[in-house]
Amino acid sequence: MESPIRLLRRSYALKLGVALVAIIALVAGLGVVTAQDASDQVRDDAREELTTKAQMQAGELDAWLDSVKRGARSTSTHPAIESGDRSAIQAHLDRTADGDQLPEAVAGVHYVRTDEMNISASSREELVGVNPREQGAPFATDPPTFDGPDDTYV
């Protein structure tokens, strides 16, 4: 019986077959490596794009919250609010809600007497006299703590 190496040396078809198998294995190996590299690149690009979008949205949300807090702070220091006069407070809240001063997402502006825990004035008439804690309002069920008179809860 002839050795496989001697057989390979004499047979042109066998040489061609071995060369073809080697080329196919090499191409397949390169294909796997290239596919894995492409997959890693796509994953990294997607992660980077999502991170960038999340950071942009976080910045926009932060700017919106700052705007709402400034508006709340401005409303809370308005002379009508500081006067304690219920009709002046109600008129100011109505003007604030009717104008373009509030973002779309704001449902209403309320004047809450924390000592009595009720809404004594509101841009939404149906809420006047309501106990916000009984309604499940987050600011009343889990009240925030304030460090000073300029603090706001949004």
Side-chain angles (χ1 to χ4, degrees), residues 10 32 53-54 84 100 102 105 124 136 140 143:
R10 288 189 322 159
V32 168
K53 282 184 180 180
D100 291 337
L102 298 177
R124 295 183 53 196

Side-chain angles (χ1 to χ4, degrees), residues 50-127:
L50 286 173
T51 300
T52 301
K53 282 184 180 180
Q55 288 171 340
M56 285 174 48
Q57 289 176 345
E60 290 171 5
L61 180 60
D62 193 39
W64 180 82
L65 279 173
D66 285 345
S67 170
V68 171
K69 285 180 181 179
R70 274 193 309 278
R73 203 172 293 119
S74 173
T75 298
S76 70
T77 59
H78 191 276
I81 302 295
E82 290 182 340
S83 74
D85 177 16
R86 189 191 171 310
S87 61
I89 293 169
Q90 184 65 53
H92 177 67
L93 294 180
D94 289 340
R95 279 191 309 275
T96 300
D98 288 341
D100 291 337
Q101 300 175 24
L102 298 177
E104 278 184 40
V106 175
V109 182
H110 315 297
Y111 181 81
V112 178
R113 296 279 316 249
T114 55
D115 56 341
E116 300 170 7
M117 196 42 81
N118 74 6
I119 298 173
S120 61
S122 175
S123 61
R124 295 183 53 196
E125 195 173 315
E126 70 272 14
L127 295 178

Side-chain angles (χ1 to χ4, degrees), residues 29-51:
L30 285 173
V32 168
V33 169
T34 302
Q36 184 63 41
D37 188 44
S39 175
D40 291 346
Q41 185 65 40
V42 167
R43 185 179 20 257
D44 290 346
D45 289 350
R47 182 175 289 127
E48 185 178 324
E49 184 178 338
L50 286 173
T51 300

